[in-house]
Amino acid sequence: MTTEPLALVAGGGGFIGGHLVAELLARGYAVRSVDVKPEAEWYQRFEDADNRVLDLQRLEACVAAVDGVDEVYNLAADMGGMGFIESNRALCMLSVLINTHLLEAAIAARVGRFFYASSACVYAAQHQTSPDVTALREADAYPAMPEDGYGWEKLFSERMCRHFREDFGLETRVARFHNVYGPHGTWTGGREKAPAAICRKVSEAVRSGSGEIEIWGDGEQTRSFMYIDDCVKGVVDIAHSDIVEPINLGSSELVTINQLVDIVEGIAGVTLERRYRLDAPQGVRGRNSDNTMILDRLGWEPSIPLKEGLETTYRWIDEHVGAASEAPAA
């Protein structure tokens, strides 16, 4: 008699975690979804999963979370967009407790596989000073000079995964996420990332008739953005691969923030006056994903076009903006 494997999704109440829970359930897994937020605040919640509210910064919570688990997917972190991580460096650093305690608990529980969600924020700043950026190769994380706070925590946690694999035999896998977006993501409140923020601002401008939009920076900073469906496929494929070193998981479709606004305006059918806030947080000048390794090792790369992903994302956010505007005042 065979039983389905049990997967722990740490951060299962978050944006990417919720989509991953759905994917693993669809693949026949039993899933334990754990998050520190009250269940009423989870982005998605699935009755078929074992849903638990636990503070994974605490070792005893991690021990309970991994009990009987075959695979761990650690997506849990205190994070947000550039406005959040530049103002909350200590909180971002404290996420190191989650990964450290999960690794310890996974060893004791003899977990088979451990996936860690890292970030392109680990890359050294000197490679990201121009909008016309050379796509970042995995080796560009060293010599180390990552994003202060959040990036340092991610890079240190990558090393923890490496050494737990080398010293204790835990099969760890690490993917460096590049700007994930899509429905069910944070779209307001200060933790949202650029695609969601732009979608919200365009929707609000359309609904209010203001005719204008505020853009952080001069709009010429460049990024690549990966749609959530590509991200989830990459996570599962990397987790079950033989790729032991950190690997990029991101789109290689590079755009300026101004071009991102162009696309969303096109979806909404408007042209807005742009006000540039040059003193706002904007991160590095340019960042893109070099997908040579993932193409070589998996024969695949994230490839859902930005316009296609933004169509779905904008419609979802626009619906929520509308619902929020119609809600009675508290």
Side-chain angles (χ1 to χ4, degrees):
M1 179 178 178
T2 60
T3 58
E4 65 270 24
L6 175 59
L8 166 66
V9 179
F15 164 45
I16 301 173
H19 283 275
L20 180 59
V21 169
E23 177 64 19
L24 292 171
L25 287 171
R27 290 181 180 229
Y29 278 77
V31 178
R32 180 174 298 150
S33 181
V34 174
D35 207 284
V36 71
K37 297 185 291 292
E39 287 188 44
E41 297 177 12
W42 289 20
Y43 293 32
Q44 297 185 79
R45 184 182 178 280
F46 300 89
E47 293 295 336
D48 292 344
D50 172 11
N51 300 304
R52 303 188 186 186
V53 176
L54 295 169
D55 181 358
L56 296 176
Q57 289 192 8
R58 300 184 177 276
L59 178 58
E60 60 270 23
C62 292
V63 171
V66 304
D67 183 41
V69 162
D70 300 293
E71 300 176 7
V72 170
Y73 294 83
N74 180 17
L75 282 68
D78 201 350
M79 58 85 69
M82 193 53 59
F84 177 82
I85 66 176
E86 287 196 0
S87 303
N88 296 275
R89 294 188 175 101
L91 286 178
C92 291
M93 291 293 286
L94 283 172
S95 294
V96 74
L97 296 173
I98 299 173
N99 197 57
T100 302
H101 290 149
L102 275 177
L103 284 167
E104 289 182 295
I107 290 295
R110 300 185 181 277
V111 167
R113 295 247 161 177
F114 188 104
F115 174 88
Y116 177 66
S118 186
S119 166
C121 289
V122 303
Y123 283 112
Q126 66 263 28
H127 299 297
Q128 304 173 80
T129 58
S130 169
D132 187 24
V133 65
T134 300
L136 295 161
R137 299 170 297 115
E138 285 77 3
D140 290 332
Y142 295 94
M145 187 51 67
E147 187 81 39
D148 199 9
Y150 180 71
W152 275 111
E153 187 278 322
K154 288 297 186 184
L155 193 61
F156 177 83
S157 291
E158 286 188 6
R159 303 294 290 193
M160 288 285 287
C161 289
R162 171 181 169 177
H163 296 313
F164 268 70
R165 175 177 54 81
E166 293 172 338
D167 293 359
F168 302 118
L170 177 62
E171 288 291 345
T172 58
R173 302 292 183 266
V174 175
R176 293 172 178 164
F177 291 0
H178 288 248
N179 293 312
V180 188
Y181 73 98
H184 299 286
T186 302
W187 58 275
T188 190
R191 291 180 183 251
E192 66 275 20
K193 296 188 177 182
I198 296 301
C199 286
R200 186 198 76 242
K201 290 177 180 181
V202 170
S203 174
E204 290 172 343
V206 170
R207 290 175 178 276
S208 70
S210 71
E212 63 179 27
I213 183 173
E214 180 184 88
I215 297 172
W216 287 9
D218 63 4
E220 291 306 305
Q221 61 270 43
T222 53
R223 295 291 188 276
S224 66
F225 301 99
M226 172 174 54
Y227 190 62
I228 185 63
D229 290 0
D230 273 340
C231 178
V232 169
K233 172 179 168 49
V235 166
V236 177
D237 287 356
I238 291 167
H240 294 102
S241 75
D242 61 356
I243 305 169
V244 297
E245 60 269 33
I247 186 169
N248 280 333
L249 181 57
S251 168
S252 58
E253 182 185 353
L254 186 69
V255 295
T256 66
I257 298 301
N258 281 325
Q259 289 171 329
L260 175 65
V261 176
D262 290 342
I263 295 171
V264 179
E265 285 181 338
I267 293 167
V270 295
T271 300
L272 302 172
E273 180 182 347
R274 302 180 184 188
R275 292 185 293 104
Y276 294 97
R277 186 180 158 195
L278 301 181
D279 63 341
Q282 52 190 291
V284 297
R285 196 64 179 148
R287 177 183 291 153
N288 196 14
S289 179
D290 184 315
N291 287 347
T292 303
M293 181 185 290
I294 196 169
L295 282 166
D296 179 59
R297 302 295 292 275
L298 295 182
W300 171 87
E301 67 174 325
S303 57
I304 294 172
L306 182 57
K307 185 178 186 302
E308 179 181 325
L310 282 173
E311 286 267 7
T312 305
T313 305
Y314 179 79
R315 303 303 176 198
W316 185 86
I317 291 176
D318 181 56
E319 180 180 330
H320 282 73
V321 170
S325 67
E326 294 167 7

